[in-house]
Amino acid sequence: MMLKHGMVGNRQECQGRPHQGCTSPGITCTAFGLPAPSPSLVIPTSLLHRILSLLMGMRVSPPYYLSALLAAGWFRRLLHKPKPSSVESLKSSHSASSSPSSSSSSAKSSSSSSGMSLATSSISLSPVSAPDISASDSPRWDKSYDVCICHSEGDMELVEELVSYLEGQPESFRCFLQLRDAVAGSAVVTELCDAVQNSHCWVMLITPGFLQDPWCRYQMHQALAEAPMANGRTIPVLKDVDRKDYPRELRNIYYIYMALKEKSFRQIRDTVMRYLQELCQSSTKRME
């Protein structure tokens, strides 16, 4: 490559009108016979390396020409020019530059697919199975009865319906009914205390007759002494009694108000079932 005449030191005066890429008046980048750069011109990397090697071999100071190249935007275009390395990258760039509708549809499809995958994963998760309270090793069998019904003699007909409902369930709840299950000849106090201690839950049918019966109150106090924290074992059932007459000893326990008999029976059954399941779960955890 030949140097043209008119060079002053390491510079050359412009031989034509100023053009894009000049960094100072009277200076042109045609000193090495290079054409004036056009905005769309991009120098290949190999050619750039040759220019730099020639500058170093001819002992010409390169910083000026590098600044000229930078001013022309050649390095900038060289750095920002996309360089697809494979066919896949070309395809991806083409798909990325597709219409906004296609990109939005693809985004929707991806979001829907991710939602479907999440739904599928949630469906595939196996639900936590409830413990079998009727298993042979269930702690349910540690006591003789599942439910003890505390009631007055005047409510015997309603109590018999409740006992028949509970014992007829698939779980076959074992109920203690005083007039049916009490041992003949035993003391009333002994029978009431044994019934409380040998039962998991206690249903207290609070009626006007219950509030006037001293034996009912005695059995209520025995149940509270057996489970003072009321962790689901004591189940008060209010019938024909105002809230203001609700026993003070039970004020810290939620009660079932018997308006519809069938609904109240289901609530009693569900409460007993829940306690027995929690009992089995806690027993399994202790064994682990």
Side-chain angles (χ1 to χ4, degrees), residues 101-229:
S101 60
S102 63
S103 62
S104 61
S105 63
S106 63
K108 290 180 180 178
S109 63
S110 63
S111 61
S112 63
S113 62
S114 61
M116 287 293 291
S117 63
L118 288 175
T120 306
S121 62
S122 61
I123 292 174
S124 62
L125 293 177
S126 58
V128 179
S129 58
D132 184 11
I133 64 171
S134 300
S136 59
D137 57 346
S138 172
R140 173 189 179 186
W141 312 118
D142 294 343
K143 294 183 178 294
S144 302
Y145 301 99
D146 299 318
V147 187
C148 175
I149 312 295
C150 306
H151 63 94
S152 66
E153 292 185 6
D155 302 317
M156 190 64 191
E157 182 178 354
L158 178 61
V159 172
E160 288 179 344
E161 292 183 27
L162 175 59
V163 170
S164 177
Y165 173 82
L166 294 175
E167 292 180 345
Q169 294 298 305
E171 296 80 14
S172 300
F173 294 109
R174 302 163 299 160
C175 301
F176 176 84
L177 189 57
Q178 182 179 350
L179 295 180
R180 183 190 67 181
D181 300 318
V183 178
S186 298
V188 176
V189 174
T190 303
E191 287 297 314
L192 294 180
C193 291
D194 290 345
V196 170
Q197 293 176 357
N198 293 325
S199 300
H200 288 290
C201 299
W202 312 289
V203 174
M204 298 186 183
L205 185 58
I206 302 174
T207 61
F210 181 95
L211 297 177
Q212 296 174 4
D213 192 334
W215 289 113
C216 291
R217 285 193 170 271
Y218 176 80
Q219 198 169 17
M220 177 184 67
H221 292 154
Q222 290 297 318
L224 293 176
E226 186 74 15
M229 300 304 296

Side-chain angles (χ1 to χ4, degrees), residues 236-251:
V237 180
L238 218 61
K239 185 179 186 299
D240 300 332
V241 174
D242 294 334
R243 182 179 177 83
K244 62 181 180 63
D245 297 327
Y246 185 59
R248 292 182 178 274
E249 297 90 339
L250 302 176
R251 291 293 173 90

